[in-house]
């Protein structure tokens, strides 16, 4: 049913819930997960800090998935989450996107806007929003 499940993550509470649901789905349907962390070009943090954070978040996703015998492909890119997730979903031939409804809090959230809302408007595959 779902061969490839795309999971954008930022390490937030909602993203972790989305990860858990994606892992459960992948285990049930014998799917692979594509975990995506995008270093947002609009954020003012040093690149190295964001890169290290992304690597850690993707590593944690991979460790959770291994416990359920689920394979995770990791993608860490620098760009605009609102645009690049659409491109990544097409290139990876994703069958579904599992994404948290809210990301990080505070100033970062103001800069990011609603990535989940944009995904709903810009892809032609199912999107599972996780609260």
């Amino acid at each position: 049913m779902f061969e490839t499940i795309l999971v954008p993550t930022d390490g937030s509470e909602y993203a972790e819930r989305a990860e858990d649901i994606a892992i459960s789905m992948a285990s049930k349907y014998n799917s692979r997960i594509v975990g995506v962390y995008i270093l947002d070009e609009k954020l003012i943090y040093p690149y190295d800090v964001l890169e290290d954070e992304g690597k850690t978040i993707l590593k944690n996703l991979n460790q959770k998935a291994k416990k359920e015998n689920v394979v995770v492909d990791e993608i860490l890119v620098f760009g605009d989450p609102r645009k690049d997730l659409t491109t990544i979903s097409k290139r990876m031939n994703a069958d579904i996107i599992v994404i948290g409804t809210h990301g990080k809090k505070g100033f970062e959230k103001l800069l990011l806007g609603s990535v989940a809302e944009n995904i709903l408007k810009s892809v032609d595959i199912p999107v599972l929003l996780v609260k």
Side-chain angles (χ1 to χ4, degrees):
M1 180 172 211
F2 301 116
E3 291 181 30
T4 304
I5 301 171
L6 185 76
V7 184
T9 185
D10 64 2
S12 67
E13 174 187 350
Y14 291 94
E16 288 187 11
R17 289 182 196 166
E19 292 171 10
D20 294 342
I21 289 171
I23 291 168
S24 177
M25 290 173 63
S27 179
K28 180 177 181 177
Y29 296 115
N30 197 26
S31 309
R32 73 182 175 112
I33 290 177
V34 176
V36 180
Y37 183 92
I38 298 178
L39 297 108
D40 194 325
E41 62 194 11
K42 293 175 186 67
L43 295 180
I44 56 175
Y45 292 104
Y47 178 85
D48 293 346
V49 171
L50 292 173
E51 182 181 33
D52 289 345
E53 178 184 63
K55 287 178 180 178
T56 299
I57 290 167
L58 290 172
K59 180 181 174 185
N60 291 341
L61 168 61
N62 213 326
Q63 289 174 340
K64 286 193 294 186
K66 279 184 181 178
K67 291 177 185 174
E68 301 297 324
N69 296 316
V70 172
V71 174
V72 176
D73 297 324
E74 299 176 10
I75 296 178
L76 178 79
V77 297
F78 180 77
D80 181 346
R82 289 172 295 279
K83 295 177 185 173
D84 294 332
L85 284 172
T86 302
T87 302
I88 292 168
S89 71
K90 289 177 185 174
R91 287 194 179 159
M92 298 307 294
N93 294 317
D95 298 301
I96 187 170
I97 299 173
V98 180
I99 186 170
T101 56
H102 296 83
K104 293 186 175 182
K105 307 249 187 271
F107 187 62
E108 291 176 353
K109 187 175 177 186
L110 290 174
L111 289 174
L112 290 172
S114 178
V115 174
E117 182 180 348
N118 188 70
I119 290 294
L120 282 171
K121 295 176 182 177
S122 62
V123 297
D124 295 328
I125 59 174
V127 177
L128 176 59
L129 296 174
V130 179
K131 280 181 123 181

